[in-house]
Amino acid sequence: MSVTLTEKAEFRLRAFLAGSAPDANDTTKGIRISVKDGGCSGYEYAMDVTSKPKADDLVIQQGKITIYVDAESAPLLEGIVIDFIDGVMESGFKFINPNATETCGCGKSFKTSDCSSAGVPCS
């Protein structure tokens, strides 16, 4: 399983996790990424702070960030690059997904060629 955070994304996530951590020594605090059915293109990205990963989550260490990947979503997230953009018109996390054949204008949802991945089925 390959998930890559750009330097900007890792920096933003480290700052966010440091600000949200109730215990600075909590080594399990990380980001859980997944895909859910929805959005304007069929699938929608989800990213949540967690210190209690699910039993079947895949665990990836990227720099100082622990990433928990939902096992059902993993086929749809394989090879994803997560960036952070900060601009006048748009700011936030940007997902660059090699599995996506279409993305919506907001960049938060995507579609695969036939919705037949082992991930969450699209509607």
Side-chain angles (χ1 to χ4, degrees):
M1 178 75 212
S2 170
V3 174
T4 303
L5 297 175
T6 65
E7 189 175 323
K8 283 183 180 180
E10 183 184 345
F11 177 78
R12 287 294 184 150
L13 287 170
R14 276 196 332 248
F16 185 76
L17 288 172
S20 69
D23 179 2
N25 297 320
D26 186 358
T27 58
T28 62
K29 179 76 75 176
I31 298 296
R32 184 167 193 269
I33 60 172
S34 61
V35 172
K36 58 184 178 179
D37 194 22
C40 50
S41 292
Y43 294 117
E44 188 172 32
Y45 298 108
M47 191 163 54
D48 303 296
V49 174
T50 187
S51 57
K52 296 180 182 175
K54 294 183 179 178
D56 60 347
D57 280 352
L58 304 171
V59 181
I60 300 168
Q61 192 68 35
Q62 176 80 44
K64 295 182 179 181
I65 303 292
T66 303
I67 304 169
Y68 302 102
V69 180
D70 172 65
E72 287 185 28
S73 301
L76 296 169
L77 296 171
E78 176 61 44
I80 197 165
V81 176
I82 302 172
D83 193 9
F84 187 87
I85 55 173
D86 193 12
V88 176
M89 297 295 289
E90 180 180 18
S91 295
F93 290 99
K94 180 179 180 179
F95 301 89
I96 303 148
N97 189 341
N99 304 300
T101 57
E102 294 179 34
T103 58
C104 69
C106 69
K108 304 296 183 204
S109 68
F110 68 100
K111 183 177 186 177
T112 59
S113 60
D114 61 1
C115 297
S116 65
S117 172
V120 179
C122 63
S123 35

